[in-house]
Amino acid sequence: MLSGTLGPDVVDVGSLTGKGLFTYDPGFVSTAACESKITFIDGAKGQLLHRGYPIEQLAEKSDYLETCYLLMHGELPNAEEKKEYVETIMNHTMVHESIVNFFKGFRYDAHPMAMMCGVVGALASFYHDSLDINDPEHRKISAHRLIAKMPTLAAMCYKHSKGQPFMYPDNNLSYAENFLHMMFGNPCEDSKIDPIVAKAMDIIFLLHADHEQNASTSTVRLAGSSGANPFACISSGIAALWGPAHGGANEAVLNMLQEIGDESRIDEFVKRAKDKNDPFRLMGFGHRVYKNFDPRSRVMQGICDEVLGAMGAENDPLLRIAKRLEQIALEDEYFVEKKLYPNVDFYSGIIMKAIGIPTDMFTVIFATGRTAGWIAHWNEMISNPYKIGRPRQLYTGYTQRDYVSLDERK
């Protein structure tokens, strides 16, 4: 039996293999595949800690890049360390001009996540100088490059889909401001960035920075266990995040709002959601991990109201539907009893729509924020003794049989 500083005890089953036995745990929902000091979640309490700090405190008092530093280094930086770290990240925001040629190879209507998978993996072909995963300095440089370049690449995905010129980073801006500048700016005029929107964008990145051993983080660790370079590992995480059951949840919220279509149909869809025999589900309510409430959603709720006010989007038809659904979920006995509270995906989807970010870019934003957590987990694994991931299986196919020649098969 093994015990952590928080959370349930863990049964060490490593010796079972020598006895000819494996455990059977589809989805690994009862299996701890690693030891980590980065993030802790208590779903029953609605608790999310990064290196021991509650997510609510970080969202209120910190910012995304400081949280990146915390995840990677284990402690909050002092003033000098933060200044140096922010300057380092901002000095890595540009990408090689040859990256433009990669985007030219994609169709104009290519899904942004398809582009991100390909281009992030391709970064390894540009940085041969820092691919020794056993060198701590190389790992640190790669982490800086990935965190710095993800907003640039994300904005390039958007610009390519619009047929607009790519915008170079402006390192006089903050991380979130720079992203909005590259997304919505153009070479003909100065970017005008609303500070409320920039704050919301920074908090979206921060709230998505890490979430313990989820599907994409576990994918990054599994890929990294083979000794793959960090760019390939992060690309594998992007691929896992692309799935609608993981990173596509906030996109599903907007699709649901479009399906409802009009405020007059809300009661109809709420009734369907309560019917266990109806396949319709309200997206963005409840959470697989949090059995009480998603602590990130409480932060996003206040930010959502600020952004809608700043953008003058209170009367947008889909957003009016969303706000009415939020009210029902917080007051209706059925939702309250089952603890189906609005989660972070519900609010982040609303905010990004209000800002003007298209739905197919939502998961790209998620990937941009989550890169900090992915690279921190990858670095933690590589920094300690580790084994290549090799899950086992319960085989239920044929037993051994002899080959039958073609002319004898029926």
Side-chain angles (χ1 to χ4, degrees):
M1 188 77 71
L2 303 174
S3 298
T5 53
L6 291 171
D9 291 336
V10 176
V11 178
D12 186 351
V13 297
S15 62
L16 290 180
T17 304
K19 300 175 183 179
L21 295 171
F22 303 145
T23 58
Y24 182 63
D25 184 21
F28 308 110
V29 294
S30 300
T31 298
C34 67
E35 179 182 324
S36 181
K37 298 178 180 178
I38 298 173
T39 295
F40 174 76
I41 296 171
D42 187 326
K45 294 180 180 178
Q47 184 182 51
L48 171 59
L49 307 177
H50 290 330
R51 301 287 191 178
Y53 295 100
I55 191 66
E56 299 93 332
Q57 292 184 22
L58 292 173
E60 178 186 357
K61 301 176 181 180
S62 185
D63 57 47
Y64 178 67
L65 286 185
E66 185 174 76
T67 302
C68 291
Y69 184 100
L70 171 68
L71 292 172
M72 192 73 177
H73 296 274
E75 299 292 343
L76 290 168
N78 60 35
E80 185 59 35
E81 288 169 337
K82 182 175 180 180
K83 180 175 180 291
E84 180 182 351
Y85 183 75
V86 170
E87 288 177 352
T88 299
I89 294 299
M90 300 315 292
N91 285 335
H92 280 291
T93 53
M94 290 188 69
V95 297
H96 197 286
E97 278 296 299
S98 294
I99 290 290
V100 173
N101 295 325
F102 282 81
F103 282 95
K104 288 180 179 178
F106 293 115
R107 281 173 53 108
Y108 72 93
D109 58 353
H111 196 286
M113 286 295 279
M115 291 188 271
M116 287 295 281
C117 281
V119 175
V120 171
L123 288 177
S125 65
F126 291 89
Y127 300 116
H128 304 291
D129 62 327
S130 57
L131 290 183
D132 182 357
I133 64 172
N134 297 311
D135 186 329
E137 189 64 24
H138 282 204
R139 295 200 301 271
K140 184 170 74 171
I141 292 170
S142 294
H144 292 162
R145 283 172 169 160
L146 278 159
I147 292 170
K149 297 180 193 307
M150 285 294 284
T152 307
L153 295 174
M156 291 175 80
C157 290
Y158 173 73
K159 289 297 192 184
H160 178 72
S161 69
K162 292 294 184 181
Q164 296 178 2
F166 298 136
M167 292 292 290
Y168 286 117
D170 182 347
N171 292 346
N172 293 314
L173 301 173
S174 71
Y175 190 87
E177 288 172 335
N178 206 4
F179 171 70
L180 293 168
H181 155 72
M182 291 185 288
M183 272 282 290
F184 300 117
N186 68 76
C188 302
E189 55 191 42
D190 293 334
S191 295
K192 296 179 177 63
I193 301 166
D194 189 311
I196 293 176
V197 174
K199 176 187 175 185
M201 200 71 249
D202 191 79
I203 289 179
I204 286 175
F205 287 144
L206 188 155
L207 294 180
H208 288 89
D210 191 47
H211 209 236
E212 210 210 77
Q213 306 305 321
N214 50 76
S216 58
T217 301
S218 298
T219 299
V220 170
R221 279 183 174 266
L222 193 60
S225 74
S226 72
N229 71 74
F231 302 102
C233 294
I234 300 306
S235 181
S236 74
I238 294 170
L241 188 69
W242 193 356
H246 188 10
N250 45 23
E251 185 174 347
V253 169
L254 265 292
N255 292 334
M256 174 197 69
L257 297 178
Q258 290 168 345
E259 182 180 356
I260 295 173
D262 190 271
E263 285 184 86
S264 63
R265 303 184 67 198
I266 290 177
D267 290 342
E268 169 197 341
F269 280 88
V270 169
K271 183 178 180 181
R272 289 180 60 188
K274 295 178 180 180
D275 184 353
K276 64 181 181 180
N277 296 316
D278 192 310
F280 175 77
R281 293 291 180 268
L282 286 177
M283 306 303 296
F285 296 88
H287 195 280
R288 183 168 178 263
V289 173
Y290 299 108
K291 306 308 179 186
N292 192 341
F293 64 90
D294 182 343
R296 301 167 299 173
S297 68
R298 292 187 170 181
V299 176
M300 292 295 277
Q301 183 180 25
I303 296 295
C304 183
D305 292 335
E306 287 184 33
V307 170
L308 294 184
M311 303 302 292
E314 301 97 325
N315 294 317
D316 180 288
L318 291 188
L319 298 181
R320 286 177 64 88
I321 295 172
K323 296 301 288 181
R324 175 62 183 140
L325 285 175
E326 176 196 23
Q327 181 183 6
I328 291 172
L330 296 175
E331 298 175 358
D332 188 288
E333 183 178 339
Y334 174 87
F335 292 97
V336 173
E337 181 181 338
K338 293 185 176 295
K339 299 180 179 178
L340 295 175
Y341 303 112
N343 59 35
V344 69
D345 299 307
F346 180 79
Y347 291 114
S348 63
I350 296 172
I351 290 171
M352 287 191 283
K353 183 184 187 304
I355 292 173
I357 297 171
T359 308
D360 62 2
M361 279 290 296
F362 286 3
T363 316
V364 172
I365 306 297
F366 192 159
T368 300
R370 183 56 56 86
T371 295
W374 286 336
I375 200 66
H377 280 275
W378 172 83
N379 182 65
E380 180 182 62
M381 183 186 70
I382 300 297
S383 301
N384 295 284
Y386 65 95
K387 296 180 179 180
I388 185 171
R390 180 61 171 85
R392 302 293 186 164
Q393 66 176 12
L394 174 64
Y395 178 70
T396 55
Y398 287 107
T399 55
Q400 182 174 324
R401 51 181 178 165
D402 293 327
Y403 180 84
V404 179
S405 61
L406 182 61
D407 58 354
E408 294 179 354
R409 295 176 209 161
K410 295 182 180 179

